[in-house]
Amino acid sequence: MAVDLSFYKSFMSEEIRDEGRAQGRAQGRAQGRAQGRAEDILLVLEQRGLTVPDRMRERITDCGDPETLRQWLVRALTAASAEEIFAEE
Protein backbone atom coordinates (compact mmCIF):
# COMPACT_ATOMS: atom_id res chain seq x y z
CA MET A 1 0.00 0.00 0.00
CA ALA A 2 1.41 3.36 -1.03
CA VAL A 3 1.31 6.31 1.36
CA ASP A 4 0.77 9.80 0.05
CA LEU A 5 3.65 11.94 1.36
CA SER A 6 3.03 14.93 -0.88
CA PHE A 7 1.93 17.01 2.13
CA TYR A 8 5.49 16.98 3.46
CA LYS A 9 6.74 18.56 0.25
CA SER A 10 4.08 21.22 -0.09
CA PHE A 11 4.81 24.94 0.00
CA MET A 12 2.77 25.32 3.21
CA SER A 13 4.62 22.57 5.07
CA GLU A 14 7.99 24.06 4.02
CA GLU A 15 6.85 27.46 5.26
CA ILE A 16 5.80 26.02 8.62
CA ARG A 17 9.13 24.23 9.01
CA ASP A 18 11.06 27.40 8.10
CA GLU A 19 9.10 29.40 10.65
CA GLY A 20 9.87 26.84 13.34
CA ARG A 21 13.57 26.92 12.48
CA ALA A 22 13.65 30.73 12.64
CA GLN A 23 11.97 30.75 16.05
CA GLY A 24 14.45 28.18 17.32
CA ARG A 25 17.40 30.26 16.12
CA ALA A 26 15.98 33.40 17.77
CA GLN A 27 15.50 31.58 21.06
CA GLY A 28 19.03 30.23 20.85
CA ARG A 29 20.45 33.71 20.29
CA ALA A 30 18.48 35.12 23.24
CA GLN A 31 19.70 32.32 25.49
CA GLY A 32 23.25 32.91 24.31
CA ARG A 33 23.01 36.62 25.10
CA ALA A 34 21.60 35.89 28.57
CA GLN A 35 24.38 33.39 29.25
CA GLY A 36 26.98 35.92 28.09
CA ARG A 37 25.51 38.64 30.30
CA ALA A 38 25.54 36.28 33.31
CA GLU A 39 29.20 35.50 32.63
CA ASP A 40 29.91 39.25 32.44
CA ILE A 41 28.33 39.82 35.84
CA LEU A 42 30.37 37.05 37.42
CA LEU A 43 33.54 38.33 35.77
CA VAL A 44 32.99 41.87 37.05
CA LEU A 45 32.38 40.61 40.58
CA GLU A 46 35.41 38.34 40.41
CA GLN A 47 37.69 41.09 39.07
CA ARG A 48 36.54 43.40 41.83
CA GLY A 49 37.57 40.74 44.37
CA LEU A 50 34.03 40.05 45.58
CA THR A 51 33.09 36.57 46.72
CA VAL A 52 30.09 35.07 44.94
CA PRO A 53 28.42 32.29 46.94
CA ASP A 54 27.23 29.27 44.95
CA ARG A 55 23.54 30.12 45.48
CA MET A 56 24.08 33.60 43.98
CA ARG A 57 26.17 32.24 41.13
CA GLU A 58 23.32 29.83 40.34
CA ARG A 59 20.72 32.61 40.54
CA ILE A 60 22.71 34.70 38.09
CA THR A 61 23.38 31.89 35.61
CA ASP A 62 19.79 30.60 35.77
CA CYS A 63 18.25 34.00 35.00
CA GLY A 64 17.02 34.34 31.42
CA ASP A 65 15.56 37.85 31.63
CA PRO A 66 17.82 40.27 29.72
CA GLU A 67 16.59 43.37 31.57
CA THR A 68 17.16 41.82 35.00
CA LEU A 69 20.64 40.71 33.96
CA ARG A 70 21.37 44.21 32.68
CA GLN A 71 20.35 45.75 36.01
CA TRP A 72 22.50 43.26 37.90
CA LEU A 73 25.48 44.02 35.66
CA VAL A 74 25.14 47.76 36.29
CA ARG A 75 24.92 47.14 40.05
CA ALA A 76 27.90 44.75 39.93
CA LEU A 77 30.09 47.65 38.83
CA THR A 78 29.73 49.48 42.14
CA ALA A 79 28.34 46.97 44.67
CA ALA A 80 30.28 46.55 47.90
CA SER A 81 29.29 42.87 47.97
CA ALA A 82 27.75 40.33 45.61
CA GLU A 83 24.58 40.42 47.70
CA GLU A 84 24.07 44.09 46.80
CA ILE A 85 23.31 43.34 43.15
CA PHE A 86 20.03 41.80 44.35
CA ALA A 87 19.33 44.57 46.93
CA GLU A 88 16.38 46.23 45.19
CA GLU A 89 14.43 43.02 44.62
Side-chain angles (χ1 to χ4, degrees):
M1 172 190 255
V3 178
D4 180 14
L5 298 176
S6 62
F7 168 79
Y8 296 107
K9 296 178 183 179
S10 74
F11 173 76
M12 182 63 85
S13 63
E14 285 295 321
E15 193 171 296
I16 291 168
R17 281 194 287 275
D18 289 344
E19 187 175 310
R21 287 184 199 113
Q23 288 175 350
R25 285 190 298 272
Q27 286 176 336
R29 283 191 300 271
Q31 288 172 342
R33 282 191 300 273
Q35 182 180 1
R37 179 73 48 94
E39 290 171 4
D40 292 344
I41 294 167
L42 295 172
L43 178 64
V44 166
L45 294 170
E46 176 186 305
Q47 291 299 304
R48 295 190 60 232
L50 301 176
T51 302
V52 182
D54 289 340
R55 63 182 170 76
M56 288 188 183
R57 183 177 301 277
E58 187 174 319
R59 183 173 176 186
I60 292 166
T61 57
D62 287 349
C63 182
D65 179 32
E67 185 55 34
T68 298
L69 289 164
R70 182 184 178 287
Q71 290 172 357
W72 290 349
L73 179 58
V74 169
R75 291 180 197 156
L77 296 170
T78 59
S81 69
E83 291 84 4
E84 280 190 25
I85 68 168
F86 305 116
E88 296 180 23
E89 295 179 8

